[in-house]
Amino acid sequence: MENAIALLEVQALVTAIAGLDAMVKAANVKLIHVEKRLGGRLVTVVVEGSVSDVTVALEAGVKAAKAVGNVKLAEVIARPHPDVMSFLKTG
C-alpha cells in the first residue's frame, strides 16, 4: 500500500467536523492530526491511508465542508517523508 496523507484546512470547528465526518465515511482513512489555530477559527485535519483512499476522502471532505463553511486548503501528499510523519504524529 502506498502511504499518503490528505490535509483539509477550513474556517471554523464545525466545518472541520463536517468535512472529517465525510472523509472517514467515504474511504478507508484514519485521522492522525488536528491543528486548531485562532481559537478554533482555523482548523486543519490530516488523514492517512492509501493514495486512492485519501484522494476519495478529501474530495468528499471538501464537498461536505463547503456546504457548511469555507475551505482554505485541500491537499494530498503521496509518500510523505518520515520527518513529516513524525511531525504530524507527535503527542
Side-chain angles (χ1 to χ4, degrees):
M1 174 175 89
E2 288 280 324
N3 188 39
I5 58 174
L7 299 94
L8 177 64
E9 186 170 80
V10 298
Q11 268 188 311
L13 184 59
V14 172
T15 306
I17 292 169
L20 177 60
D21 182 58
M23 291 172 84
V24 296
K25 287 178 179 176
N28 185 25
V29 295
K30 179 181 174 185
L31 176 67
I32 61 167
H33 189 76
V34 176
E35 186 76 27
K36 293 182 277 186
R37 295 286 180 205
L38 305 173
R41 290 177 294 193
L42 189 62
V43 182
T44 306
V45 295
V46 183
V47 298
E48 179 181 39
S50 69
V51 174
S52 59
D53 281 334
V54 298
T55 301
V56 168
L58 188 58
E59 290 171 1
V62 167
K63 182 177 180 182
K66 281 184 177 179
V68 177
N70 295 323
V71 174
K72 296 296 184 181
L73 173 111
E75 188 66 43
V76 171
I77 300 174
R79 298 178 322 275
H81 191 276
D83 289 347
V84 172
M85 296 307 292
S86 66
F87 171 76
L88 291 172
K89 291 185 177 181
T90 58

